[in-house]
Amino acid sequence: MKLKEFLYPILPQAMVALDCLRPKGRFEWPTPFGGMPPMDIADAYPHYKAESLAHRMRSRQLQAAAFEVTPATLDAYTAAQVICDRDVLHRWARSGRGAIFASPHYGPFLGSALLFASLGTEASPSHVFYDPAESVPDNGRFDLFFKRFEGRLNVLHNQANDLIKAGRALRSKQCISIMFDVVQRAVDCVYVPFFGRLYPAMGGCAYLSLLFKAPIVPVYTVPDAERKVRVIFGEPILPENYMSSDRDQDVFAMTCALFRDLERQLIHAPWHWIYWGNVSYTTRFSDDMVCSERAMMEEIRRRVDTTPALVKVAPVLESLAQAL
């Protein structure tokens, strides 16, 4: 048996034990891929770096195994190596209304993409939606990999033509998997409450959901102790619960709900997410800041005073601050 296969089941416990025995100042664990959570989050996990490294090593093994899957082995792989609640999966995938499976960059996510690929058929293919290689060069390898399953799984990129194709797929009651936690341009985002901060989030999932009446199902992929991929489904977000006369407000409310679900998952298992470093750059937020019009205006003035660069991004803030 290979050493990495022997170590896999005990990696988290072994890393924590090593961390407990580590002489202070002798060596440090590497900074986790994607950065550390803010201190107020990481402090709840005294062995965070050690555990993060263990789970990262597990995920890399599982990602490498997933890259070996071929069209001929796809169904066998998902049946034997992917653990999930099949009843929940089929409830949404075969609901007759289409579905948006919203997956963050969390754990060995390639396993969940293959699970959705296995649901696809020539008549009703599955779809994965992510940024093109022109924006994220590393995505080129995923383009090549997913091309193997063309016919059962179609790749859609975050660009105009493929947005139209995504709409057609949802109109045809098919399913799309979207990695919702990527931000390319902050000016295109809504800002949602997230771990006591305001976090930039793209509203694309919510917009498509409202437009085509397709539910959003959060999906989290974690390395299981048995060298398998475990897919966890979050709380579904139903578009019929967000049907006010203000479409922009509905998009915002649904996006908030999606990130509330992500926050619940991260509280339970924070080590698998690769975008913690982005959270450290976000600004503090609490309901007290917007509990009244006066409080909100004072907060706007305070932020403009402390961060003059905001005026360059949104010049209207300068006149608003002067009026205050």
Side-chain angles (χ1 to χ4, degrees):
M1 181 183 291
K2 294 181 180 178
L3 179 61
K4 65 180 182 180
E5 293 177 352
F6 171 77
L7 289 175
Y8 180 98
I10 63 170
L11 268 173
Q13 300 93 325
M15 289 297 194
V16 169
L18 282 174
D19 200 35
C20 292
L21 296 172
R22 173 176 60 93
K24 290 187 177 180
R26 291 292 297 274
F27 73 93
E28 290 292 334
W29 298 107
T31 299
F33 180 76
M36 283 286 291
M39 288 302 298
D40 56 317
I41 299 170
D43 282 348
Y45 307 93
H47 305 288
Y48 186 89
K49 284 188 176 181
E51 290 184 272
S52 177
L53 179 60
H55 289 297
R56 178 70 178 167
M57 291 169 69
R58 278 182 164 184
S59 290
R60 290 184 67 179
Q61 287 187 41
L62 295 173
Q63 290 282 80
F67 269 115
E68 298 299 318
V69 175
T70 67
T73 62
L74 173 62
D75 293 329
Y77 167 83
T78 56
Q81 300 299 322
V82 181
I83 303 169
C84 75
D85 188 328
R86 252 65 178 188
D87 290 338
V88 172
L89 174 65
H90 293 152
R91 183 190 312 158
W92 296 112
R94 300 171 181 174
S95 66
R97 61 186 297 190
I100 299 169
F101 291 98
S103 172
H105 287 73
Y106 183 87
F109 55 82
L110 196 57
S112 61
L114 290 173
L115 176 65
F116 298 132
S118 72
L119 298 175
T121 64
E122 291 283 348
S124 182
S126 297
H127 308 266
V128 288
F129 186 97
Y130 54 85
D131 285 319
E134 292 80 13
S135 302
V136 182
D138 193 48
N139 283 353
R141 64 180 179 138
F142 293 106
D143 289 344
L144 292 173
F145 176 70
F146 289 136
K147 192 173 180 62
R148 298 178 189 176
F149 310 100
E150 202 167 31
R152 295 183 71 178
L153 180 72
N154 294 332
V155 172
L156 302 176
H157 290 140
N158 188 11
Q159 50 195 21
N161 288 342
D162 282 358
L163 279 169
I164 295 172
K165 293 178 182 177
R168 288 174 180 164
L170 291 173
R171 190 179 290 114
S172 299
K173 313 307 180 187
Q174 297 168 5
C175 297
I176 296 178
S177 175
I178 297 179
M179 304 199 81
F180 67 88
D181 58 341
V182 176
V183 173
Q184 292 296 340
R185 284 165 36 94
V187 294
D188 296 331
C189 294
V190 296
Y191 284 78
V192 300
F194 189 63
F195 283 104
R197 295 161 172 80
L198 282 180
Y199 192 77
M202 302 299 290
C205 274
Y207 181 80
L208 288 171
S209 174
L210 288 166
L211 194 60
F212 298 102
K213 308 299 186 289
I216 299 173
V217 184
V219 176
Y220 309 104
T221 313
V222 300
D224 189 75
E226 299 297 322
R227 275 194 293 276
K228 296 181 180 181
V229 171
R230 181 174 294 276
V231 176
I232 301 166
F233 299 108
E235 188 67 28
I237 302 166
L238 306 179
E240 56 265 31
N241 294 334
Y242 299 87
M243 300 296 288
S244 76
S245 58
D246 188 336
R247 174 63 62 83
D248 289 341
Q249 185 60 34
D250 291 335
V251 167
F252 172 72
M254 292 185 79
T255 307
C256 286
L258 180 57
F259 274 81
R260 277 197 303 272
D261 200 90
L262 174 59
E263 184 171 326
R264 283 194 294 269
Q265 179 64 25
L266 291 176
I267 289 171
H268 172 68
W271 311 280
H272 309 294
W273 196 43
I274 70 169
Y275 287 131
W276 274 121
N278 293 346
V279 180
S280 300
Y281 294 104
T282 57
T283 185
R284 289 280 184 180
F285 171 80
S286 73
D287 290 338
D288 291 341
M289 297 175 182
V290 292
C291 63
S292 67
E293 183 176 345
R294 179 182 179 83
M296 185 167 60
M297 294 303 178
E298 288 180 351
E299 182 62 22
I300 290 173
R301 180 173 58 187
R302 185 189 69 79
R303 295 196 180 210
V304 169
D305 288 345
T306 57
T307 314
L310 286 173
V311 175
K312 295 181 180 180
V313 178
V316 69
L317 290 176
E318 184 173 26
S319 57
L320 180 59
Q322 290 173 350
L324 292 171

